[in-house]
Amino acid sequence: MTKRIFNAIIAVMAIVLLSACTHNDGNIGHWFGSWKLRQITINGENDEAYQGNVFWKFQSEVVQMSQLNSYHGRTDAWGSWKEVDAEGKSFLRLDFTHSDDKTSAGTGKYAPIPATHLQSGISTLEILSISGSKLQLRYIAEDATVYTYDFSKQ
């Protein structure tokens, strides 16, 4: 009987430890997981060049943008993110200023996917709405162009 209780305790501990790994550094709420960028509008007009093939993934303080290419390839971009509140509004701050020994800051895999129209560096996007399955962001570029991004949770 004691051996079965011991085995049950070990099994429960293993399940708890394995489930903890899915949320590196804790639960980040509705941001966690993969979001498909369904549509981009530019100054209210649909971005006809956008092919609906970009995903944003959030975990801990890391954001990964992935663009699926033909022949099952993909391009990845890595940055960090933070949700901030200012002036009674919520914002998503994306930081694409990172680097490594082979890649200069804000370039290559540390630059946003070009289809998003975001610039390297730090971009602040207003959170227009967010729920468990839908997300809408607005980005106003330095030239006053307004980009709106509509996402769905995958």
Side-chain angles (χ1 to χ4, degrees):
M1 180 76 148
T2 306
K3 187 173 183 178
R4 282 206 279 175
I5 292 173
F6 177 76
N7 288 340
I9 291 171
I10 295 297
V12 168
M13 289 176 56
I15 290 169
V16 169
L17 288 173
L18 289 173
S19 66
C21 293
T22 64
H23 289 81
N24 184 21
D25 290 337
N27 185 349
I28 58 172
H30 46 250
W31 291 105
F32 181 78
S34 181
W35 293 86
K36 180 177 183 176
L37 179 53
R38 295 217 172 263
Q39 180 181 23
I40 301 173
T41 60
I42 304 171
N43 294 325
E45 299 292 324
N46 190 36
D47 181 359
E48 298 295 334
Y50 178 62
Q51 299 176 6
N53 59 346
V54 174
F55 295 81
W56 293 15
K57 299 173 186 175
F58 297 88
Q59 186 172 357
S60 185
E61 296 176 0
V62 176
V63 62
Q64 174 191 11
M65 290 183 182
S66 294
Q67 182 173 24
L68 303 181
N69 304 316
S70 57
Y71 307 108
H72 303 288
R74 76 175 197 214
T75 302
D76 291 326
W78 299 89
S80 56
W81 70 277
K82 184 175 185 176
E83 184 176 349
V84 295
D85 293 318
E87 302 169 12
K89 298 179 182 179
S90 293
F91 297 90
L92 174 64
R93 182 171 296 143
L94 299 177
D95 183 346
F96 284 94
T97 61
H98 304 285
S99 64
D100 61 33
D101 292 341
K102 297 179 182 178
T103 310
S104 299
T107 65
K109 63 185 175 184
Y110 300 112
I113 298 290
T116 65
H117 306 283
L118 295 170
Q119 301 298 309
S120 290
I122 298 174
S123 299
T124 302
L125 295 83
E126 183 180 355
I127 302 168
L128 300 177
S129 64
I130 188 164
S131 69
S133 61
K134 302 270 185 220
L135 169 64
Q136 187 176 57
L137 303 171
R138 177 175 40 219
Y139 170 63
I140 302 174
E142 289 180 9
D143 66 359
T145 302
V146 178
Y147 298 93
T148 304
Y149 306 92
D150 289 302
F151 295 85
S152 64
K153 189 82 170 258
Q154 296 298 292

